Amino acid sequence: MNYNRVVCFDLEMCCWNVDGVGTTGEIIEVGLAEIDLVKQEVVKRAQYYVKPEKDEVSLFCTELTGITPRKVEKQGRPLEAVIQSMVKNFGGPNKIYASWGRDDDILRLECEAKGIEMPFKEFVNLATLYRIQNRLKDKRIGHKAAQEQKGIEWEGRQHSGYVDAYNLAKLALTML
């Protein structure tokens, strides 16, 4: 296990808003940003689009994420191929992965449903760690708000897996 490197990741999923109720479906983007804890820097980034097997990218989803049906159709690959690229380019079970919230559960459930092996074993929920470190017992806080609270400038469009993973990596460097 390489404890000097952590791969921060963020997922974007097909999403809908019907009568004010949001729902999500299959993963359509995986953003990754690897940090080196010794050098205290982001050392690698990647963005992978995933072609959903059953869901479609809604207008609401496009407005939220900037991901269009055309982009997913042209640049997307099956989840299994994306997972293979993640493992090849970022390492699999020998790396620690981290996200803001339980993106590991979302990924695990979709991998199980599609018969794909989970790409990592070790996981850190940075939202929970942030709440512990900052004594936020009963208060949830979003990733962007937490980052701003720490005086770290947000860069790029929120709800882009690529952008969110990079921003999370910047925040993680202050936490780990």
Side-chain angles (χ1 to χ4, degrees):
M1 180 65 60
N2 185 344
Y3 292 99
N4 294 325
R5 297 278 183 110
V6 176
V7 180
C8 296
F9 75 102
D10 185 76
L11 305 175
E12 299 302 327
M13 287 86 65
C14 290
C15 51
W16 303 268
N17 188 343
V18 180
D19 299 326
V21 178
T23 58
T24 58
E26 289 179 277
I27 296 166
I28 54 173
E29 182 193 8
V30 180
L32 302 113
E34 185 172 339
I35 56 175
D36 184 314
L37 297 174
V38 175
K39 294 179 181 175
Q40 283 290 294
E41 65 184 16
V42 178
V43 293
K44 191 186 305 185
R45 295 174 70 184
Q47 175 181 45
Y48 302 109
Y49 289 108
V50 181
K51 238 181 228 188
E53 292 177 9
K54 299 176 182 145
D55 291 333
E56 292 181 14
V57 178
S58 68
L59 179 59
F60 171 79
C61 191
T62 296
E63 290 170 354
L64 182 67
T65 66
I67 300 169
T68 64
R70 180 175 166 83
K71 183 171 284 193
V72 168
E73 185 57 39
K74 290 189 83 152
Q75 297 178 30
R77 297 182 293 147
L79 181 61
E80 186 171 24
V82 168
I83 297 289
Q84 289 170 352
S85 292
M86 285 172 61
V87 170
K88 179 183 175 197
N89 296 319
F90 289 86
N94 64 329
K95 289 280 181 69
I96 299 166
Y97 280 67
S99 70
W100 191 266
R102 295 309 307 259
D103 281 15
D104 64 315
D105 280 344
I106 295 166
L107 183 60
R108 182 181 44 76
L109 288 171
E110 192 163 330
C111 282
E112 284 175 4
K114 294 180 177 178
I116 303 166
E117 189 175 334
M118 189 70 170
F120 54 85
K121 305 237 183 299
E122 293 290 328
F123 173 77
V124 177
N125 179 342
L126 292 172
T128 299
L129 182 59
Y130 187 91
R131 287 174 62 199
I132 292 167
Q133 289 176 343
N134 293 278
R135 307 293 187 256
L136 302 174
K137 292 178 187 158
D138 300 317
K139 185 179 171 199
R140 296 180 79 74
I141 185 167
H143 170 199
K144 188 173 183 181
Q147 188 162 318
E148 289 170 349
Q149 196 173 70
K150 291 293 180 188
I152 303 167
E153 184 181 345
W154 186 273
E155 295 180 48
R157 176 193 178 123
Q158 194 175 13
H159 300 299
S160 156
Y162 184 71
V163 169
D164 290 356
Y166 175 68
N167 281 295
L168 184 59
K170 294 190 316 180
L171 179 60
L173 283 169
T174 71
M175 297 171 61
L176 302 174

